Amino acid sequence: MSFHRYVALGDSFTEGVGDPDPRRPNGLRGWADRVAEVLATKSDDFGYANLAIRGRKLPAILAEQLEPARALDPDLVTVYAGANDIMRPKVDLDALVGSYDEALGRLAATGARLLVWTAFDPGGSATYRLLRGRFALYNELVRESADRHGATVVDFWRLRDYRDWRLWDDDRMHMGPAGHQRMAIEVLDILGVEHELAPLALRDHLPRSRAEELREHAAWLRTSAAPWVHRRLTGRSSGDLVSPRYPALGTPDQPGLAGGPPR
């Protein structure tokens, strides 16, 4: 199976936060780049655009990315959105997914293959598991919308290997390189695209004392959790000064996407 015009929409998950690569725009690679690199080997006229921007809530994603994506006449679209909304103190999930459903309908009308995500199951996280019920409801609404529009669901909720924190970045909010590679494999497998991607090696589990665990948690609170809360309180976003990494269709051998064969 080959695709010719792949457009990725979303937030930090799709922008590639947690998977650093200083050679690329915004210093990131991410699962979508990894997928695009494989798809480019299947077609002589492949183009890839990534419109995702970190910190974006679903209304902003739809307002800023939907029409530019449709204008690129894609034959493959991936959308990950909603996680930043779910984690707010208050959210109307029915209204949120209602607007998402309308947008998915407009994307499906292009004739493109459409992939959407459920949210990750936070049940294994002491920090996020209090929101587990909210995540579960959001997921069911997304599955219903995907069924309505013929979209394929990448069921993040059921990918239990992501309970291994070695797949995540130190900020505990974004996937690390191994997590992005794992997601790229999942997407390619769902699309039925042959590839040679393999899971990346994970760090060894090293025994830690209780004091070391407490120091690590304190560092996380200081460097990741506190800045996130401060942005919420001040109405700012980590993506306020960030632009889309690839706003127009290009190929993986263009400057910024170059980096050798998929790994």
Side-chain angles (χ1 to χ4, degrees), residues 13 18 23-24 34 77 90 134 136 141 150 167 169 173 192 205 213:
F13 175 87
R23 300 168 297 177
R24 302 175 188 235
R34 294 169 185 266
V77 176
K90 294 182 179 180
R134 187 185 287 186
L141 293 171
L167 290 174
D169 186 64
M173 299 178 187
H205 276 301
E213 292 179 350

PDB file of all heavy atoms in Angstrom, residues 13 18 23-24 34 77 90 134 136 141 150 167 169 173 192 205 213:
ATOM      1  N   PHE A  13       2.044  15.630  20.789  1.00  0.00           N
ATOM      2  CA  PHE A  13       2.139  14.211  20.472  1.00  0.00           C
ATOM      3  C   PHE A  13       2.582  14.005  19.022  1.00  0.00           C
ATOM      4  O   PHE A  13       3.451  13.185  18.722  1.00  0.00           O
ATOM      5  CB  PHE A  13       0.778  13.571  20.723  1.00  0.00           C
ATOM      6  CG  PHE A  13       0.668  12.119  20.342  1.00  0.00           C
ATOM      7  CD1 PHE A  13       1.015  11.124  21.238  1.00  0.00           C
ATOM      8  CD2 PHE A  13       0.164  11.754  19.097  1.00  0.00           C
ATOM      9  CE1 PHE A  13       0.882   9.782  20.895  1.00  0.00           C
ATOM     10  CE2 PHE A  13       0.031  10.423  18.748  1.00  0.00           C
ATOM     11  CZ  PHE A  13       0.395   9.433  19.645  1.00  0.00           C
ATOM     12  N   GLY A  18       9.595  15.199  22.824  1.00  0.00           N
ATOM     13  CA  GLY A  18      10.127  14.041  23.524  1.00  0.00           C
ATOM     14  C   GLY A  18      11.071  13.208  22.689  1.00  0.00           C
ATOM     15  O   GLY A  18      11.741  12.307  23.204  1.00  0.00           O
ATOM     16  N   ARG A  23      18.749  18.331  13.995  1.00  0.00           N
ATOM     17  CA  ARG A  23      18.836  18.595  12.561  1.00  0.00           C
ATOM     18  C   ARG A  23      17.510  19.003  11.957  1.00  0.00           C
ATOM     19  O   ARG A  23      17.472  19.482  10.817  1.00  0.00           O
ATOM     20  CB  ARG A  23      19.346  17.343  11.840  1.00  0.00           C
ATOM     21  CG  ARG A  23      20.714  16.862  12.289  1.00  0.00           C
ATOM     22  CD  ARG A  23      20.992  15.468  11.750  1.00  0.00           C
ATOM     23  NE  ARG A  23      20.019  14.501  12.285  1.00  0.00           N
ATOM     24  CZ  ARG A  23      19.996  13.214  11.939  1.00  0.00           C
ATOM     25  NH1 ARG A  23      20.861  12.766  11.047  1.00  0.00           N
ATOM     26  NH2 ARG A  23      19.099  12.398  12.475  1.00  0.00           N
ATOM     27  N   ARG A  24      16.424  18.828  12.685  1.00  0.00           N
ATOM     28  CA  ARG A  24      15.098  19.018  12.113  1.00  0.00           C
ATOM     29  C   ARG A  24      14.416  20.262  12.684  1.00  0.00           C
ATOM     30  O   ARG A  24      14.790  20.751  13.743  1.00  0.00           O
ATOM     31  CB  ARG A  24      14.233  17.774  12.392  1.00  0.00           C
ATOM     32  CG  ARG A  24      14.850  16.509  11.821  1.00  0.00           C
ATOM     33  CD  ARG A  24      14.034  15.276  12.211  1.00  0.00           C
ATOM     34  NE  ARG A  24      14.755  14.075  11.809  1.00  0.00           N
ATOM     35  CZ  ARG A  24      14.255  13.113  11.032  1.00  0.00           C
ATOM     36  NH1 ARG A  24      13.033  13.204  10.590  1.00  0.00           N
ATOM     37  NH2 ARG A  24      14.979  12.057  10.723  1.00  0.00           N
ATOM     38  N   ARG A  34       8.815   9.471  11.459  1.00  0.00           N
ATOM     39  CA  ARG A  34       9.252   8.085  11.271  1.00  0.00           C
ATOM     40  C   ARG A  34       8.328   7.351  10.302  1.00  0.00           C
ATOM     41  O   ARG A  34       8.783   6.577   9.452  1.00  0.00           O
ATOM     42  CB  ARG A  34       9.306   7.376  12.630  1.00  0.00           C
ATOM     43  CG  ARG A  34      10.377   7.938  13.568  1.00  0.00           C
ATOM     44  CD  ARG A  34      10.219   7.399  14.994  1.00  0.00           C
ATOM     45  NE  ARG A  34      11.156   8.014  15.913  1.00  0.00           N
ATOM     46  CZ  ARG A  34      12.345   7.511  16.246  1.00  0.00           C
ATOM     47  NH1 ARG A  34      12.732   6.357  15.726  1.00  0.00           N
ATOM     48  NH2 ARG A  34      13.148   8.131  17.090  1.00  0.00           N
ATOM     49  N   VAL A  77      -4.566  11.188   6.395  1.00  0.00           N
ATOM     50  CA  VAL A  77      -4.597  12.206   7.445  1.00  0.00           C
ATOM     51  C   VAL A  77      -4.562  11.502   8.792  1.00  0.00           C
ATOM     52  O   VAL A  77      -5.299  10.534   9.019  1.00  0.00           O
ATOM     53  CB  VAL A  77      -5.869  13.079   7.371  1.00  0.00           C
ATOM     54  CG1 VAL A  77      -5.916  14.060   8.541  1.00  0.00           C
ATOM     55  CG2 VAL A  77      -5.924  13.836   6.046  1.00  0.00           C
ATOM     56  N   LYS A  90     -11.988  21.841  34.076  1.00  0.00           N
ATOM     57  CA  LYS A  90     -13.357  21.615  33.631  1.00  0.00           C
ATOM     58  C   LYS A  90     -13.373  21.449  32.114  1.00  0.00           C
ATOM     59  O   LYS A  90     -12.671  22.165  31.398  1.00  0.00           O
ATOM     60  CB  LYS A  90     -14.266  22.785  34.024  1.00  0.00           C
ATOM     61  CG  LYS A  90     -14.459  22.959  35.525  1.00  0.00           C
ATOM     62  CD  LYS A  90     -15.411  24.107  35.816  1.00  0.00           C
ATOM     63  CE  LYS A  90     -15.621  24.279  37.325  1.00  0.00           C
ATOM     64  NZ  LYS A  90     -16.561  25.406  37.617  1.00  0.00           N
ATOM     65  N   ARG A 134     -12.625  10.288  32.996  1.00  0.00           N
ATOM     66  CA  ARG A 134     -12.792  11.309  31.958  1.00  0.00           C
ATOM     67  C   ARG A 134     -12.142  10.853  30.649  1.00  0.00           C
ATOM     68  O   ARG A 134     -12.708  11.020  29.563  1.00  0.00           O
ATOM     69  CB  ARG A 134     -12.163  12.625  32.442  1.00  0.00           C
ATOM     70  CG  ARG A 134     -12.420  13.793  31.514  1.00  0.00           C
ATOM     71  CD  ARG A 134     -11.679  15.027  31.996  1.00  0.00           C
ATOM     72  NE  ARG A 134     -12.284  15.640  33.189  1.00  0.00           N
ATOM     73  CZ  ARG A 134     -11.868  16.776  33.705  1.00  0.00           C
ATOM     74  NH1 ARG A 134     -10.845  17.427  33.150  1.00  0.00           N
ATOM     75  NH2 ARG A 134     -12.462  17.282  34.772  1.00  0.00           N
ATOM     76  N   ALA A 136     -11.688   7.752  29.711  1.00  0.00           N
ATOM     77  CA  ALA A 136     -12.471   6.641  29.171  1.00  0.00           C
ATOM     78  C   ALA A 136     -13.709   7.140  28.429  1.00  0.00           C
ATOM     79  O   ALA A 136     -14.056   6.621  27.358  1.00  0.00           O
ATOM     80  CB  ALA A 136     -12.865   5.689  30.296  1.00  0.00           C
ATOM     81  N   LEU A 141     -16.527   8.319  23.089  1.00  0.00           N
ATOM     82  CA  LEU A 141     -17.107   9.293  22.168  1.00  0.00           C
ATOM     83  C   LEU A 141     -16.304   9.368  20.876  1.00  0.00           C
ATOM     84  O   LEU A 141     -16.866   9.495  19.779  1.00  0.00           O
ATOM     85  CB  LEU A 141     -17.169  10.668  22.834  1.00  0.00           C
ATOM     86  CG  LEU A 141     -18.137  10.792  24.014  1.00  0.00           C
ATOM     87  CD1 LEU A 141     -17.947  12.143  24.718  1.00  0.00           C
ATOM     88  CD2 LEU A 141     -19.576  10.611  23.568  1.00  0.00           C
ATOM     89  N   GLY A 150     -16.068   6.512   9.219  1.00  0.00           N
ATOM     90  CA  GLY A 150     -15.198   5.551   8.554  1.00  0.00           C
ATOM     91  C   GLY A 150     -13.726   5.745   8.856  1.00  0.00           C
ATOM     92  O   GLY A 150     -12.867   5.343   8.056  1.00  0.00           O
ATOM     93  N   LEU A 167       9.265   4.096  27.946  1.00  0.00           N
ATOM     94  CA  LEU A 167       8.805   4.577  26.645  1.00  0.00           C
ATOM     95  C   LEU A 167       8.498   6.077  26.665  1.00  0.00           C
ATOM     96  O   LEU A 167       8.163   6.646  25.632  1.00  0.00           O
ATOM     97  CB  LEU A 167       7.551   3.814  26.214  1.00  0.00           C
ATOM     98  CG  LEU A 167       7.751   2.342  25.832  1.00  0.00           C
ATOM     99  CD1 LEU A 167       6.407   1.677  25.580  1.00  0.00           C
ATOM    100  CD2 LEU A 167       8.645   2.203  24.614  1.00  0.00           C
ATOM    101  N   ASP A 169       9.252  10.247  27.970  1.00  0.00           N
ATOM    102  CA  ASP A 169      10.268  11.250  28.267  1.00  0.00           C
ATOM    103  C   ASP A 169      10.326  11.483  29.775  1.00  0.00           C
ATOM    104  O   ASP A 169       9.399  11.137  30.516  1.00  0.00           O
ATOM    105  CB  ASP A 169       9.892  12.549  27.544  1.00  0.00           C
ATOM    106  CG  ASP A 169      10.959  13.612  27.673  1.00  0.00           C
ATOM    107  OD1 ASP A 169      12.074  13.409  27.167  1.00  0.00           O
ATOM    108  OD2 ASP A 169      10.674  14.653  28.302  1.00  0.00           O
ATOM    109  N   MET A 173       5.087  13.364  30.427  1.00  0.00           N
ATOM    110  CA  MET A 173       3.935  13.862  29.680  1.00  0.00           C
ATOM    111  C   MET A 173       3.991  13.481  28.207  1.00  0.00           C
ATOM    112  O   MET A 173       2.943  13.418  27.550  1.00  0.00           O
ATOM    113  CB  MET A 173       3.850  15.395  29.793  1.00  0.00           C
ATOM    114  CG  MET A 173       3.686  15.906  31.205  1.00  0.00           C
ATOM    115  SD  MET A 173       3.653  17.721  31.219  1.00  0.00           S
ATOM    116  CE  MET A 173       3.676  18.046  32.983  1.00  0.00           C
ATOM    117  N   GLY A 192      -1.209  -1.253   7.176  1.00  0.00           N
ATOM    118  CA  GLY A 192      -0.850  -2.373   6.324  1.00  0.00           C
ATOM    119  C   GLY A 192       0.351  -2.097   5.452  1.00  0.00           C
ATOM    120  O   GLY A 192       0.489  -2.685   4.371  1.00  0.00           O
ATOM    121  N   HIS A 205      16.382  -1.410  33.903  1.00  0.00           N
ATOM    122  CA  HIS A 205      15.816  -1.017  35.194  1.00  0.00           C
ATOM    123  C   HIS A 205      16.916  -1.117  36.252  1.00  0.00           C
ATOM    124  O   HIS A 205      17.472  -2.187  36.479  1.00  0.00           O
ATOM    125  CB  HIS A 205      14.662  -1.949  35.588  1.00  0.00           C
ATOM    126  CG  HIS A 205      13.351  -1.552  34.987  1.00  0.00           C
ATOM    127  ND1 HIS A 205      12.761  -0.317  35.207  1.00  0.00           N
ATOM    128  CD2 HIS A 205      12.508  -2.227  34.167  1.00  0.00           C
ATOM    129  CE1 HIS A 205      11.611  -0.249  34.559  1.00  0.00           C
ATOM    130  NE2 HIS A 205      11.432  -1.395  33.922  1.00  0.00           N
ATOM    131  N   GLU A 213      14.273   7.943  44.624  1.00  0.00           N
ATOM    132  CA  GLU A 213      12.958   8.126  44.009  1.00  0.00           C
ATOM    133  C   GLU A 213      12.351   9.469  44.388  1.00  0.00           C
ATOM    134  O   GLU A 213      11.762  10.152  43.544  1.00  0.00           O
ATOM    135  CB  GLU A 213      12.030   6.988  44.423  1.00  0.00           C
ATOM    136  CG  GLU A 213      12.409   5.630  43.849  1.00  0.00           C
ATOM    137  CD  GLU A 213      11.471   4.529  44.317  1.00  0.00           C
ATOM    138  OE1 GLU A 213      10.657   4.806  45.242  1.00  0.00           O
ATOM    139  OE2 GLU A 213      11.544   3.420  43.772  1.00  0.00           O
TER     140      GLU A 213
END
